[in-house]
Amino acid sequence: MDEEDTRDFNERCAQCSEVNWGLTDGGRFYCRSCHNVTERTREVVNTDFITNSRVQTISKGSKKQEKNDGGCEWYICEGFQLVLKKQVEALEALGVCPQMKDEILCNFWRCYLQKSKQAYCKRPAGETVKTLSVCESSTDVDSDPERPSLLHLLSLSESEGDLQTDCSFASSVSKVSESTSVYSGSVDGSLYLMKNQKEKLRMTMPMTLSFCYLALLWVREPITLSELLRFVVEGHIPYMNVFQHFPEKMKLCGLDLKIFCVESWPEYKEVFNKMHELAAFLDLPRFPDITESCFLHPDMLCMKYLMEANLPDELHNWTCRVVKKIGIGEVDFLTLTPGNKSTRKVKYDVLAAAVIVVVLKLLFLLDDHYEWLLSEFAEERNKNNTEGGPYFEFKKWYEVVKHSLDVEQKKLDEEKAKYLWRCEKPLFYSVKNKSKVLKRRQMVVNLQNQFGKLSGSVQRAEKPNPSSFQLSWSEENTDGSCFHGHSLKGVLQEKCGLLTVMNPDYWLCTVKLCNEKLCGHLAHYREVEFPQSYHFVLGLFSFLLRIQPSYIHDEFNKSTLVLE
């Protein structure tokens, strides 16, 4: 049939110069040799209309047609849906409970689409034809049995062929403006970046992590926000250049790249704040209680960070006393209640680190003087100590931990310096340029390998398995580098049958307010204004949590003011 329809079309293919044409379902000519699709369409004489008039064939199939370059029409929310799917699958591979994906995150995402009026809603008045609309008659997400279920969509293992029917639940029922350019990428990229979208809590790449953390918090998984962001940096959770995992038919260009291409690592503060905005926007109920048996409780997190910081186990008794004293272990304090402005926004990991800093200041003062006196005292007693465990020496601990911290920090800096920000998968927006881009990319890879061999650089090893601990210490080591079993008797004294600190003094870090207008917070952290031992402790937990030392300092001040 194709031979009869293409008999009169004798032009040579612009790409391979062959004359071997076939017809697509849309009536366009394509080259059987190189699969190049032309702009020409088959002309048909139809005698049912006016005599001698000619009409072009009408494209078949659904409204979601393939473009000339093999791409298809897609919407920004579909892109973010694929990003969330990749991220939650990565979390499942790390051991997160499967229910988080299908029962929690999917419902959060469906609720967001409905409240932001991108899907599962009536078309808002005044919206353009590009506005997404899934339900034309009801706002109830379960009222239409024919509507594709988002729960089902995110549970699918989508292929490129499934994209048009399964993943594009919104665009399959939306009208597309005829003025859309062939290589414009998404349908609503320009509309998505309009200012009025900010009122609807516009979706961004950092917000995908806010979604994930919100779901993790709901199921009370033992993953803190700092760990989540560290797994992102280490490449265990897709984030950087995640669009390279999009199906081939989803072409990105122009404003799409501005939305999905990120050139910096996610920041703790931004993801945390967006998570709370998102919880309030979705109008979520009170989250499940954070009890003493929950991993996110300060007592549990303090135990973890004490082990990772190579500090004595006996310090955990003191952290528990501080947590109870200032009331930060109460269920109502720890449990997230969206929309309640009177409750404090708890950073569980930062709070636990701040509690440990408070305890270290209670015992060692951290004023660059008292802790060294205690260390000399413990060293003398260890020389004559023949029974029990050794006394904890702050100076020796400082030297051991600082050495390991410097080594790990150097590795981290080298990894960041070597990180390839450019996407490994080359981006091209037309079939005509595809071969040139792939050839150029292959040439670059070959040159990099050759220069690597000449310079003697070592090939990048495979990603190590993720771990909750960045620093590990074993009590089996005979070099005395592990301080977990060391005693605090050298820094405590017995009084009325109780062990108390030897020095009752305690200096308050910050009592002044910031001088900046409209700030109102305590003065910001400046390293030169504080003792070096205090800065070292902040730097240690700053490395473990991958956050700025000022975050721990601010949380420390809040805890100190309550303690005072």
Side-chain angles (χ1 to χ4, degrees), residues 282-333:
L282 300 180
D283 196 21
L284 297 177
R286 177 185 167 102
F287 275 51
D289 292 343
I290 304 296
T291 60
E292 293 183 358
S293 61
C294 180
F295 176 81
L296 297 176
H297 194 277
D299 291 345
M300 300 289 285
L301 285 176
C302 283
M303 185 185 302
K304 174 185 182 298
Y305 295 143
L306 286 173
M307 293 177 61
E308 196 166 9
N310 198 16
L311 288 166
D313 299 332
E314 292 182 12
L315 283 176
H316 187 245
N317 295 329
W318 286 83
T319 58
C320 292
R321 291 172 62 180
V322 170
V323 168
K324 185 176 181 180
K325 175 71 175 179
I326 61 181
I328 59 175
E330 301 297 327
V331 173
D332 292 337
F333 175 84

Short mmCIF file of all heavy atoms in Angstrom, two decimals, residues 282-333:
data_model
loop_
_atom_site.label_atom_id
_atom_site.label_comp_id
_atom_site.label_asym_id
_atom_site.label_seq_id
_atom_site.Cartn_x
_atom_site.Cartn_y
_atom_site.Cartn_z
N LEU A 282 -0.47 21.32 51.65
CA LEU A 282 -1.28 20.12 51.44
C LEU A 282 -2.33 19.94 52.53
O LEU A 282 -3.17 19.05 52.42
CB LEU A 282 -0.38 18.89 51.39
CG LEU A 282 0.68 18.85 50.29
CD1 LEU A 282 1.49 17.56 50.38
CD2 LEU A 282 0.04 18.98 48.92
N ASP A 283 -2.24 20.77 53.57
CA ASP A 283 -3.20 20.71 54.68
C ASP A 283 -3.19 19.32 55.31
O ASP A 283 -4.24 18.71 55.58
CB ASP A 283 -4.61 21.07 54.20
CG ASP A 283 -5.54 21.40 55.36
OD1 ASP A 283 -5.03 21.73 56.45
OD2 ASP A 283 -6.78 21.31 55.19
N LEU A 284 -1.98 18.81 55.58
CA LEU A 284 -1.85 17.48 56.14
C LEU A 284 -2.20 17.48 57.63
O LEU A 284 -2.00 18.47 58.32
CB LEU A 284 -0.41 16.97 55.96
CG LEU A 284 0.07 16.80 54.52
CD1 LEU A 284 1.52 16.36 54.50
CD2 LEU A 284 -0.80 15.78 53.78
N PRO A 285 -2.69 16.36 58.14
CA PRO A 285 -2.99 16.27 59.57
C PRO A 285 -1.71 16.11 60.39
O PRO A 285 -0.60 16.05 59.84
CB PRO A 285 -3.87 15.02 59.65
CG PRO A 285 -3.42 14.17 58.51
CD PRO A 285 -3.05 15.13 57.42
N ARG A 286 -1.87 16.01 61.69
CA ARG A 286 -0.73 15.78 62.58
C ARG A 286 -0.03 14.47 62.20
O ARG A 286 -0.68 13.45 61.97
CB ARG A 286 -1.20 15.73 64.03
CG ARG A 286 -0.10 15.42 65.06
CD ARG A 286 -0.73 15.28 66.43
NE ARG A 286 0.18 14.70 67.40
CZ ARG A 286 0.83 15.39 68.34
NH1 ARG A 286 0.67 16.70 68.40
NH2 ARG A 286 1.63 14.78 69.20
N PHE A 287 1.28 14.50 62.15
CA PHE A 287 2.06 13.34 61.77
C PHE A 287 2.08 12.32 62.91
O PHE A 287 1.79 12.66 64.06
CB PHE A 287 3.48 13.75 61.41
CG PHE A 287 3.64 14.21 59.98
CD1 PHE A 287 2.79 15.16 59.43
CD2 PHE A 287 4.63 13.68 59.17
CE1 PHE A 287 2.92 15.58 58.13
CE2 PHE A 287 4.78 14.09 57.86
CZ PHE A 287 3.92 15.04 57.33
N PRO A 288 2.45 11.07 62.61
CA PRO A 288 2.58 10.06 63.68
C PRO A 288 3.56 10.52 64.75
O PRO A 288 4.55 11.19 64.46
CB PRO A 288 3.09 8.83 62.94
CG PRO A 288 2.58 8.99 61.54
CD PRO A 288 2.61 10.47 61.27
N ASP A 289 3.28 10.17 65.98
CA ASP A 289 4.06 10.65 67.12
C ASP A 289 5.51 10.18 67.06
O ASP A 289 5.81 9.04 66.69
CB ASP A 289 3.43 10.17 68.43
CG ASP A 289 2.09 10.83 68.69
OD1 ASP A 289 1.80 11.85 68.04
OD2 ASP A 289 1.33 10.31 69.54
N ILE A 290 6.40 11.08 67.45
CA ILE A 290 7.82 10.75 67.62
C ILE A 290 8.03 10.41 69.09
O ILE A 290 8.09 11.29 69.95
CB ILE A 290 8.73 11.92 67.20
CG1 ILE A 290 8.43 12.35 65.77
CG2 ILE A 290 10.20 11.54 67.35
CD1 ILE A 290 8.73 11.30 64.73
N THR A 291 8.10 9.13 69.39
CA THR A 291 8.22 8.66 70.77
C THR A 291 9.68 8.33 71.09
O THR A 291 10.56 8.46 70.24
CB THR A 291 7.34 7.42 70.99
OG1 THR A 291 7.76 6.38 70.09
CG2 THR A 291 5.87 7.75 70.69
N GLU A 292 9.92 7.90 72.32
CA GLU A 292 11.28 7.59 72.74
C GLU A 292 11.88 6.41 71.98
O GLU A 292 13.10 6.31 71.85
CB GLU A 292 11.30 7.28 74.25
CG GLU A 292 10.99 8.48 75.12
CD GLU A 292 11.09 8.16 76.60
OE1 GLU A 292 11.36 6.97 76.91
OE2 GLU A 292 10.89 9.06 77.44
N SER A 293 11.05 5.53 71.46
CA SER A 293 11.55 4.38 70.71
C SER A 293 11.79 4.70 69.24
O SER A 293 12.30 3.86 68.50
CB SER A 293 10.55 3.21 70.81
OG SER A 293 9.28 3.59 70.27
N CYS A 294 11.44 5.90 68.83
CA CYS A 294 11.61 6.30 67.43
C CYS A 294 13.05 6.74 67.19
O CYS A 294 13.67 7.37 68.04
CB CYS A 294 10.62 7.41 67.07
SG CYS A 294 10.74 7.98 65.36
N PHE A 295 13.56 6.46 66.00
CA PHE A 295 14.95 6.80 65.66
C PHE A 295 15.17 8.31 65.70
O PHE A 295 16.29 8.76 66.01
CB PHE A 295 15.28 6.25 64.28
CG PHE A 295 16.66 6.62 63.79
CD1 PHE A 295 17.78 5.91 64.21
CD2 PHE A 295 16.85 7.68 62.91
CE1 PHE A 295 19.05 6.25 63.77
CE2 PHE A 295 18.11 8.03 62.47
CZ PHE A 295 19.21 7.31 62.91
N LEU A 296 14.17 9.10 65.41
CA LEU A 296 14.33 10.55 65.34
C LEU A 296 14.29 11.21 66.71
O LEU A 296 14.47 12.44 66.80
CB LEU A 296 13.24 11.15 64.44
CG LEU A 296 13.27 10.72 62.97
CD1 LEU A 296 12.09 11.30 62.22
CD2 LEU A 296 14.58 11.11 62.32
N HIS A 297 14.04 10.46 67.77
CA HIS A 297 14.06 11.03 69.11
C HIS A 297 15.49 11.45 69.47
O HIS A 297 16.45 10.77 69.10
CB HIS A 297 13.55 10.01 70.13
CG HIS A 297 13.23 10.59 71.46
ND1 HIS A 297 14.19 10.81 72.43
CD2 HIS A 297 12.05 11.01 71.99
CE1 HIS A 297 13.62 11.33 73.51
NE2 HIS A 297 12.32 11.45 73.27
N PRO A 298 15.67 12.59 70.16
CA PRO A 298 17.02 13.06 70.49
C PRO A 298 17.88 12.03 71.21
O PRO A 298 19.09 11.96 70.97
CB PRO A 298 16.76 14.28 71.37
CG PRO A 298 15.41 14.76 70.97
CD PRO A 298 14.64 13.54 70.59
N ASP A 299 17.28 11.24 72.10
CA ASP A 299 18.07 10.23 72.82
C ASP A 299 18.69 9.21 71.87
O ASP A 299 19.84 8.80 72.03
CB ASP A 299 17.19 9.52 73.85
CG ASP A 299 16.79 10.43 75.00
OD1 ASP A 299 17.42 11.50 75.14
OD2 ASP A 299 15.85 10.08 75.74
N MET A 300 17.92 8.80 70.85
CA MET A 300 18.42 7.84 69.88
C MET A 300 19.48 8.46 68.98
O MET A 300 20.53 7.86 68.72
CB MET A 300 17.26 7.29 69.04
CG MET A 300 16.18 6.60 69.85
SD MET A 300 16.73 5.00 70.50
CE MET A 300 16.67 4.02 69.01
N LEU A 301 19.22 9.66 68.50
CA LEU A 301 20.17 10.31 67.60
C LEU A 301 21.46 10.68 68.33
O LEU A 301 22.55 10.61 67.75
CB LEU A 301 19.54 11.56 66.97
CG LEU A 301 18.51 11.30 65.86
CD1 LEU A 301 17.90 12.61 65.38
CD2 LEU A 301 19.16 10.58 64.68
N CYS A 302 21.34 11.09 69.58
CA CYS A 302 22.55 11.41 70.35
C CYS A 302 23.44 10.18 70.50
O CYS A 302 24.67 10.29 70.41
CB CYS A 302 22.16 11.94 71.73
SG CYS A 302 21.59 13.65 71.73
N MET A 303 22.83 9.02 70.71
CA MET A 303 23.62 7.80 70.81
C MET A 303 24.37 7.53 69.51
O MET A 303 25.56 7.17 69.51
CB MET A 303 22.69 6.61 71.12
CG MET A 303 23.42 5.30 71.36
SD MET A 303 22.26 3.92 71.60
CE MET A 303 21.33 4.51 73.01
N LYS A 304 23.71 7.74 68.39
CA LYS A 304 24.35 7.52 67.08
C LYS A 304 25.52 8.49 66.87
O LYS A 304 26.62 8.08 66.48
CB LYS A 304 23.32 7.70 65.96
CG LYS A 304 23.91 7.63 64.56
CD LYS A 304 22.85 7.93 63.51
CE LYS A 304 23.42 7.82 62.11
NZ LYS A 304 24.51 8.78 61.83
N TYR A 305 25.29 9.78 67.13
CA TYR A 305 26.33 10.78 66.88
C TYR A 305 27.48 10.68 67.87
O TYR A 305 28.62 11.01 67.53
CB TYR A 305 25.72 12.18 66.90
CG TYR A 305 24.74 12.42 65.78
CD1 TYR A 305 23.58 13.18 65.97
CD2 TYR A 305 24.95 11.87 64.52
CE1 TYR A 305 22.69 13.39 64.94
CE2 TYR A 305 24.05 12.07 63.49
CZ TYR A 305 22.92 12.83 63.70
OH TYR A 305 22.02 13.03 62.69
N LEU A 306 27.21 10.22 69.10
CA LEU A 306 28.30 9.99 70.06
C LEU A 306 29.22 8.88 69.56
O LEU A 306 30.45 8.97 69.68
CB LEU A 306 27.73 9.63 71.43
CG LEU A 306 27.11 10.77 72.23
CD1 LEU A 306 26.42 10.24 73.49
CD2 LEU A 306 28.16 11.81 72.62
N MET A 307 28.63 7.84 69.00
CA MET A 307 29.44 6.75 68.46
C MET A 307 30.26 7.23 67.27
O MET A 307 31.45 6.91 67.14
CB MET A 307 28.53 5.59 68.04
CG MET A 307 27.82 4.88 69.18
SD MET A 307 26.70 3.59 68.59
CE MET A 307 27.85 2.52 67.75
N GLU A 308 29.64 8.01 66.40
CA GLU A 308 30.34 8.46 65.19
C GLU A 308 31.41 9.48 65.51
O GLU A 308 32.42 9.57 64.82
CB GLU A 308 29.33 9.03 64.19
CG GLU A 308 29.87 9.18 62.79
CD GLU A 308 28.79 9.43 61.78
OE1 GLU A 308 27.62 9.65 62.16
OE2 GLU A 308 29.10 9.41 60.58
N ALA A 309 31.21 10.27 66.56
CA ALA A 309 32.20 11.27 66.96
C ALA A 309 33.27 10.68 67.86
O ALA A 309 34.16 11.42 68.33
CB ALA A 309 31.50 12.43 67.68
N ASN A 310 33.19 9.37 68.13
CA ASN A 310 34.22 8.68 68.93
C ASN A 310 34.29 9.23 70.36
O ASN A 310 35.37 9.37 70.93
CB ASN A 310 35.58 8.80 68.25
CG ASN A 310 36.57 7.77 68.76
OD1 ASN A 310 36.20 6.79 69.39
ND2 ASN A 310 37.85 8.00 68.50
N LEU A 311 33.14 9.52 70.93
CA LEU A 311 33.07 10.04 72.29
C LEU A 311 32.67 8.92 73.25
O LEU A 311 32.07 7.91 72.84
CB LEU A 311 32.07 11.19 72.36
CG LEU A 311 32.53 12.49 71.69
CD1 LEU A 311 31.36 13.45 71.50
CD2 LEU A 311 33.65 13.15 72.49
N PRO A 312 32.96 9.06 74.54
CA PRO A 312 32.64 8.01 75.52
C PRO A 312 31.16 7.70 75.60
O PRO A 312 30.31 8.60 75.47
CB PRO A 312 33.16 8.60 76.84
CG PRO A 312 34.20 9.58 76.44
CD PRO A 312 33.73 10.17 75.14
N ASP A 313 30.85 6.44 75.81
CA ASP A 313 29.45 6.02 75.93
C ASP A 313 28.76 6.66 77.13
O ASP A 313 27.54 6.86 77.11
CB ASP A 313 29.38 4.49 76.05
CG ASP A 313 29.96 3.78 74.84
OD1 ASP A 313 29.92 4.37 73.74
OD2 ASP A 313 30.45 2.64 74.98
N GLU A 314 29.53 6.96 78.17
CA GLU A 314 28.94 7.54 79.38
C GLU A 314 28.32 8.91 79.11
O GLU A 314 27.48 9.37 79.90
CB GLU A 314 30.01 7.67 80.47
CG GLU A 314 30.51 6.33 81.01
CD GLU A 314 31.53 6.51 82.12
OE1 GLU A 314 31.67 7.65 82.61
OE2 GLU A 314 32.19 5.52 82.50
N LEU A 315 28.70 9.56 78.04
CA LEU A 315 28.11 10.87 77.73
C LEU A 315 26.63 10.76 77.39
O LEU A 315 25.89 11.75 77.50
CB LEU A 315 28.85 11.51 76.55
CG LEU A 315 30.22 12.14 76.83
CD1 LEU A 315 30.85 12.64 75.54
CD2 LEU A 315 30.08 13.30 77.82
N HIS A 316 26.18 9.56 77.02
CA HIS A 316 24.77 9.42 76.66
C HIS A 316 23.86 9.65 77.86
O HIS A 316 22.75 10.17 77.71
CB HIS A 316 24.52 8.03 76.07
CG HIS A 316 23.15 7.85 75.51
ND1 HIS A 316 22.23 6.98 76.04
CD2 HIS A 316 22.51 8.49 74.50
CE1 HIS A 316 21.10 7.05 75.36
NE2 HIS A 316 21.24 7.95 74.42
N ASN A 317 24.31 9.28 79.04
CA ASN A 317 23.51 9.56 80.23
C ASN A 317 23.32 11.06 80.42
O ASN A 317 22.25 11.52 80.83
CB ASN A 317 24.18 8.96 81.47
CG ASN A 317 24.23 7.44 81.42
OD1 ASN A 317 23.34 6.81 80.86
ND2 ASN A 317 25.27 6.85 82.00
N TRP A 318 24.36 11.82 80.11
CA TRP A 318 24.27 13.27 80.26
C TRP A 318 23.39 13.91 79.18
O TRP A 318 22.67 14.86 79.45
CB TRP A 318 25.67 13.87 80.24
CG TRP A 318 26.42 13.62 81.50
CD1 TRP A 318 27.12 12.52 81.85
CD2 TRP A 318 26.48 14.51 82.63
NE1 TRP A 318 27.64 12.64 83.11
CE2 TRP A 318 27.27 13.87 83.62
CE3 TRP A 318 25.99 15.78 82.90
CZ2 TRP A 318 27.55 14.45 84.85
CZ3 TRP A 318 26.26 16.37 84.12
CH2 TRP A 318 27.03 15.71 85.09
N THR A 319 23.47 13.40 77.96
CA THR A 319 22.60 13.94 76.91
C THR A 319 21.13 13.67 77.23
O THR A 319 20.27 14.53 77.00
CB THR A 319 22.96 13.34 75.53
OG1 THR A 319 22.82 11.91 75.58
CG2 THR A 319 24.36 13.71 75.12
N CYS A 320 20.85 12.49 77.79
CA CYS A 320 19.46 12.19 78.17
C CYS A 320 18.98 13.13 79.26
O CYS A 320 17.82 13.57 79.26
CB CYS A 320 19.35 10.73 78.63
SG CYS A 320 19.60 9.51 77.33
N ARG A 321 19.87 13.46 80.21
CA ARG A 321 19.50 14.39 81.28
C ARG A 321 19.22 15.78 80.74
O ARG A 321 18.27 16.46 81.16
CB ARG A 321 20.62 14.43 82.32
CG ARG A 321 20.76 13.14 83.12
CD ARG A 321 22.01 13.16 84.00
NE ARG A 321 21.96 14.23 85.00
CZ ARG A 321 22.92 14.45 85.90
NH1 ARG A 321 24.01 13.65 85.91
NH2 ARG A 321 22.82 15.42 86.78
N VAL A 322 20.03 16.21 79.77
CA VAL A 322 19.81 17.53 79.17
C VAL A 322 18.50 17.55 78.39
O VAL A 322 17.73 18.51 78.46
CB VAL A 322 21.00 17.91 78.26
CG1 VAL A 322 20.68 19.16 77.45
CG2 VAL A 322 22.25 18.13 79.09
N VAL A 323 18.24 16.49 77.62
CA VAL A 323 17.01 16.41 76.84
C VAL A 323 15.79 16.49 77.75
O VAL A 323 14.81 17.19 77.46
CB VAL A 323 16.98 15.10 76.01
CG1 VAL A 323 15.59 14.85 75.43
CG2 VAL A 323 18.01 15.16 74.90
N LYS A 324 15.85 15.78 78.87
CA LYS A 324 14.73 15.81 79.82
C LYS A 324 14.62 17.16 80.52
O LYS A 324 13.51 17.66 80.75
CB LYS A 324 14.91 14.69 80.85
CG LYS A 324 13.76 14.55 81.81
CD LYS A 324 13.97 13.36 82.75
CE LYS A 324 12.79 13.21 83.70
NZ LYS A 324 12.98 12.04 84.62
N LYS A 325 15.76 17.77 80.83
CA LYS A 325 15.77 19.04 81.55
C LYS A 325 15.13 20.15 80.74
O LYS A 325 14.34 20.95 81.26
CB LYS A 325 17.22 19.41 81.88
CG LYS A 325 17.41 20.77 82.53
CD LYS A 325 16.90 20.79 83.95
CE LYS A 325 17.22 22.13 84.62
NZ LYS A 325 16.71 22.18 86.01
N ILE A 326 15.46 20.24 79.46
CA ILE A 326 14.93 21.36 78.64
C ILE A 326 13.66 20.98 77.90
O ILE A 326 13.11 21.80 77.15
CB ILE A 326 16.00 21.87 77.65
CG1 ILE A 326 16.42 20.76 76.69
CG2 ILE A 326 17.21 22.39 78.39
CD1 ILE A 326 17.49 21.20 75.71
N GLY A 327 13.17 19.75 78.06
CA GLY A 327 11.86 19.36 77.54
C GLY A 327 11.78 19.15 76.04
O GLY A 327 10.69 19.30 75.46
N ILE A 328 12.90 18.81 75.40
CA ILE A 328 12.87 18.62 73.95
C ILE A 328 12.64 17.16 73.57
O ILE A 328 12.72 16.82 72.39
CB ILE A 328 14.18 19.11 73.31
CG1 ILE A 328 15.39 18.35 73.88
CG2 ILE A 328 14.34 20.60 73.49
CD1 ILE A 328 16.69 18.69 73.19
N GLY A 329 12.35 16.32 74.55
CA GLY A 329 12.05 14.92 74.26
C GLY A 329 10.57 14.62 74.32
O GLY A 329 10.17 13.46 74.14
N GLU A 330 9.75 15.65 74.54
CA GLU A 330 8.31 15.45 74.64
C GLU A 330 7.71 15.17 73.26
O GLU A 330 8.17 15.69 72.24
CB GLU A 330 7.63 16.69 75.25
CG GLU A 330 8.14 17.05 76.64
CD GLU A 330 7.83 15.95 77.65
OE1 GLU A 330 6.79 15.28 77.49
OE2 GLU A 330 8.63 15.77 78.59
N VAL A 331 6.68 14.36 73.23
CA VAL A 331 6.04 13.96 71.98
C VAL A 331 5.48 15.16 71.24
O VAL A 331 5.65 15.31 70.02
CB VAL A 331 4.94 12.91 72.24
CG1 VAL A 331 4.16 12.61 70.97
CG2 VAL A 331 5.54 11.63 72.80
N ASP A 332 4.80 16.05 71.96
CA ASP A 332 4.20 17.22 71.32
C ASP A 332 5.25 18.15 70.74
O ASP A 332 4.99 18.83 69.74
CB ASP A 332 3.32 17.98 72.33
CG ASP A 332 2.09 17.19 72.72
OD1 ASP A 332 1.68 16.31 71.94
OD2 ASP A 332 1.53 17.45 73.81
N PHE A 333 6.41 18.20 71.34
CA PHE A 333 7.48 19.05 70.83
C PHE A 333 8.08 18.48 69.55
O PHE A 333 8.38 19.22 68.60
CB PHE A 333 8.57 19.22 71.89
CG PHE A 333 9.77 19.99 71.41
CD1 PHE A 333 9.77 21.38 71.43
CD2 PHE A 333 10.89 19.32 70.93
CE1 PHE A 333 10.88 22.09 70.98
CE2 PHE A 333 12.00 20.02 70.48
CZ PHE A 333 12.00 21.41 70.50
#
